[in-house]
Amino acid sequence: MVPAPASPPSPARLRAARAGLTAVFFVNGVLFGTWASRVPAVKEQVGAGNGVLGLTLLGIALGALLAKQLAGQLVTRTGTVPVTRAGAALSCLLLLPPAFVDGAAGLGIALLLFGAGMGLLDLGMNAHGVELERLRGRPVMSSLHASFSAGGLVGALAGGLAAAHGLGPRAHFALVTVVLGALAALATTRLLPSPARPARAQAVPRTWVRVPRRLRFPLTLLAFTGLCAAAGEGAAADWSALYLHGELGRSTGFASLGYALFSVAMAVGRLAGDGLTARWGALRTVVWAAAPAGTVFALALASGDATLALIGYTVLGLGLSVVVPVVFSTAGTLGGTAFGPSLTYVSSINGIGMLMGPPLIGFVAEAIGLRPALGLVSVLAVLSAVLMTAFAGRAAPQAAGLAAPAHDHATKDAHPEEDVMNGDSDARHPTH
């Protein structure tokens, strides 16, 4: 039996939920930035070489990948709030073990656990963002990801200050755990309760990631759109200082501006992304942002000028900023009521991008040099626009608001699952 729809939350309640979820995204970003800023200190603590450290760092990716499969099931069964709350608590607590291990093996296990907590949080908070978008009737995902970007910058800056003042990872991580744990606990109390779900929607799938067969190809196109953008983002961030300092001969202080400008541009672009998506639609937002950004970055690389390189990194950050939020939001729309598996599928593939980008540039740079290798970042940015266009051609009849402004579909989008999952009985039950 389908439960009767609950009364829609008041505007004040929606604003409170958005503020709470924004804080959760910020916590996730600070956790990521905190860990990244103290990798050198942890490396020295465990006595690992570069190769061994690289292997241990894969633990984060593996843990996140495995946890996202479970998180997709839990979102379907219990709703998004319990998953988000558990992920936030575990992520904060599991930041501690990497600072207290003595060897590389212990670090690998600790990072596997930390990655699992982060994966659980990532899936839960993005799924709640999808629910919030549906209730508000307009995009919010991009601004939520802007909060993550801001949190990452805060975490990295705070980590640098902690290192400069001689604060070790143990004391630093313990302080961050307490502060962020309290913030996350408060923020998650403001989230919206998940709507009642039909009994069949609460059943755990027999496989970890099971999406309707006719949506697998569109979702794959969408996932690889995000993968290209995430790979370009990771490569640009990790290699910017090395390019400006090693290739163009600028000071280390000047070289640090590349990543700083890229990060600020990402945050600014994501703050503006919701308005752009509402005005232009998801397709045009991605195409008009990513393709020109890739072109400008390629021209900046070709010039060999450091100042133009900074401009290129800034434009690239603006262009790539909107892609991943749009991918997550669109995946949630395509998934209908049972959007957990769709988000899990897309998020799992998308998450590979950040890991794939930096080593890919390194391998290519060994063969042809760093500057032409960084040209792959431009290729990835343009390819994300191409894949989004291919996705739109395949899924436009199913994705309301994909190529047109969201306000033109206000009534239709109130129950997007009725359009997206038409003919799929398990996901046709309206929830709002």
Side-chain angles (χ1 to χ4, degrees), residues 13 15-20 85 128 186-192:
R13 184 69 182 90
R15 286 194 296 271
R18 181 175 182 177
R85 185 173 290 129
H128 197 73
L186 176 63
T188 54
T189 63
R190 308 188 68 168
L191 302 183
L192 295 167

Side-chain angles (χ1 to χ4, degrees), residues 6-354:
S7 355
S10 67
R13 184 69 182 90
L14 289 173
R15 286 194 296 271
R18 181 175 182 177
L21 190 56
T22 298
V24 171
F25 271 79
F26 180 79
V27 165
N28 195 16
V30 175
L31 285 168
F32 185 82
T34 297
W35 161 249
S37 68
R38 303 313 302 267
V39 169
V42 174
K43 175 189 174 187
E44 183 179 349
Q45 175 182 301
V46 300
N50 289 333
V52 174
L53 179 67
L55 290 175
T56 64
L57 291 175
L58 288 177
I60 296 179
L62 180 59
L65 182 63
L66 294 175
K68 284 179 180 181
Q69 316 310 311
L70 175 62
Q73 295 183 45
L74 293 176
V75 162
T76 301
R77 289 191 67 179
T78 67
T80 59
V81 175
V83 176
T84 303
R85 185 173 290 129
L90 287 172
S91 295
C92 291
L93 288 172
L94 292 171
L95 176 65
L96 286 172
F100 285 86
V101 296
D102 295 325
L107 180 61
I109 296 172
L111 292 180
L112 181 74
L113 295 174
F114 178 57
M118 294 286 276
L120 195 67
L121 174 58
D122 183 71
L123 200 288
M125 69 185 190
N126 278 288
H128 197 73
V130 169
E131 289 185 335
L132 186 59
E133 280 192 330
R134 289 182 178 181
L135 287 168
R136 293 182 80 247
R138 56 184 183 272
V140 298
M141 195 69 78
S142 189
S143 62
L144 293 173
H145 280 258
S147 182
F148 172 84
S149 298
L153 194 56
V154 168
L157 292 174
L161 288 174
H165 287 81
L167 188 66
R170 293 180 179 181
H172 179 201
F173 287 6
L175 178 62
V176 169
T177 292
V178 172
V179 173
L180 293 186
L183 177 58
L186 176 63
T188 54
T189 63
R190 308 188 68 168
L191 302 183
L192 295 167
S194 296
R197 299 175 186 274
R200 279 191 297 171
Q202 297 176 14
V204 180
R206 286 172 294 178
T207 57
W208 279 7
V209 180
R210 188 177 67 177
V211 296
R213 182 174 300 172
R214 65 191 184 85
L215 290 182
R216 287 175 192 167
F217 184 63
L219 284 173
T220 300
L221 287 173
L222 189 63
F224 277 92
T225 300
L227 181 145
C228 287
E233 179 183 344
D238 285 9
W239 289 95
S240 59
L242 290 171
Y243 172 65
L244 290 166
H245 177 63
E247 292 285 313
L248 301 185
R250 303 308 294 260
S251 68
T252 53
F254 184 95
S256 67
L257 290 175
Y259 178 66
L261 289 172
F262 179 82
S263 299
V264 171
M266 287 283 291
V268 170
R270 284 174 170 172
L271 284 173
D274 291 331
L276 296 176
T277 304
R279 183 179 180 86
W280 294 343
L283 171 62
R284 281 180 286 181
T285 298
V286 170
V287 172
W288 293 356
T295 303
V296 170
F297 187 66
L299 293 173
L301 288 174
S303 73
D305 181 83
T307 302
L308 290 179
L310 292 182
I311 295 173
Y313 276 111
T314 303
V315 174
L316 184 70
L318 288 170
L320 293 182
S321 64
V322 297
V323 181
V324 171
V326 165
V327 164
F328 274 65
S329 179
T330 307
T333 300
L334 281 178
T337 302
F339 56 79
S342 295
L343 274 179
T344 301
Y345 183 77
V346 169
S347 178
S348 298
I349 294 175
N350 175 86
I352 298 171
M354 286 289 287

